[in-house]
Amino acid sequence: MEPSLPLVTYPLKTSKVKIRILIVFFSMVLFTAMLGLLQLKFFKSKVKDFYSFEVKDSKGRPISLEKYRGKASLVVNVASHCQHTEKNYIMLQELHREFGPSHFTVLAFPCNQFGEMEPGTSHHISHFAKSNYGVTFPIFDKIKIMGSEASPVFKFLIESSKHEPKWNFWKYLISPEVD
């Protein structure tokens, strides 16, 4: 019988390289996940409630809804050429006139998404409401309230209430004691 040769094991360089590659890969994954979490924390939406939003008035100037905090607000999507325009504007103005001194306001947002009944510009819409119905409540810039292009204010209202507007003059009542 021939003498057996001792088994010599040579360390495999490739296993050390593979381990190092795996460590670097998992470190990169962990680091990327941590960056993602940090980004969510620092870029988190600052919107807490309805009054945290900024909108534009009928002249296109930015207006903070914060100025209405502490008041009950009736938010309405309005339309000038709807068959119910007259009775709604009259009723909204009456509410605003009667309860406005008691910390209440109507906030009107023109929208052309329901039957294309608000085709004019924001300036024309505001002039129409003021000259025909004596409206004194704020009328904001014409916006979209439904779909992917919806105003963030209405996205918030729809998400908060779980109710989408079904037609013109849909109303949301916002409590003055929002947290």
Side-chain angles (χ1 to χ4, degrees), residues 35-46:
L35 279 177
L37 290 173
L38 282 173
Q39 183 178 8
L40 284 175
K41 181 178 178 180
F42 289 112
F43 295 113
K44 196 176 197 180
S45 175
K46 303 254 191 276

Side-chain angles (χ1 to χ4, degrees), residues 3-169:
S4 71
L5 297 171
L7 287 175
V8 180
T9 58
Y10 296 99
L12 294 175
K13 290 183 180 179
T14 58
S15 67
K16 285 185 180 179
V17 171
K18 286 181 182 177
I19 290 172
R20 285 184 180 156
I21 290 174
L22 281 174
I23 290 172
V24 168
F25 174 74
F26 285 120
S27 297
M28 288 174 39
V29 168
L30 182 62
F31 182 71
T32 304
M34 287 174 36
L35 279 177
L37 290 173
L38 282 173
Q39 183 178 8
L40 284 175
K41 181 178 178 180
F42 289 112
F43 295 113
K44 196 176 197 180
S45 175
K46 303 254 191 276
V47 175
K48 298 175 188 167
D49 61 30
F50 173 77
Y51 299 107
S52 301
F53 287 93
E54 186 175 273
V55 295
K56 292 183 179 179
D57 68 8
S58 62
K59 294 179 182 174
R61 298 176 298 207
I63 301 289
S64 172
L65 293 177
E66 187 68 37
K67 74 186 262 182
Y68 302 105
R69 186 176 296 282
K71 295 181 178 185
S73 298
L74 187 63
V75 180
V76 186
N77 66 306
V78 297
S80 300
H81 299 291
C82 179
Q83 71 184 45
H84 305 291
T85 297
E86 183 173 350
K87 75 176 181 178
N88 274 285
Y89 268 126
I90 290 170
M91 182 239 359
L92 291 170
Q93 178 55 33
E94 180 65 22
L95 281 171
H96 186 73
R97 185 188 57 72
E98 186 171 332
F99 297 110
S102 304
H103 304 291
F104 174 83
T105 191
V106 173
L107 304 174
F109 290 85
C111 176
N112 195 37
Q113 287 184 290
F114 297 105
E116 297 182 358
M117 296 184 183
E118 191 67 282
T121 65
S122 296
H123 177 72
H124 289 114
I125 295 163
S126 180
H127 179 73
F128 168 82
K130 289 175 183 180
S131 62
N132 289 313
Y133 304 108
V135 166
T136 58
F137 53 81
I139 299 178
F140 297 99
D141 196 27
K142 187 161 96 171
I143 60 169
K144 291 191 177 183
I145 62 172
M146 304 282 290
S148 62
E149 295 178 13
S151 164
V153 172
F154 271 84
K155 283 182 181 179
F156 175 82
L157 290 172
I158 291 167
E159 185 178 304
S160 298
S161 69
K162 308 290 187 245
H163 289 33
E164 285 189 346
K166 298 194 183 340
W167 197 246
N168 300 309
F169 295 98

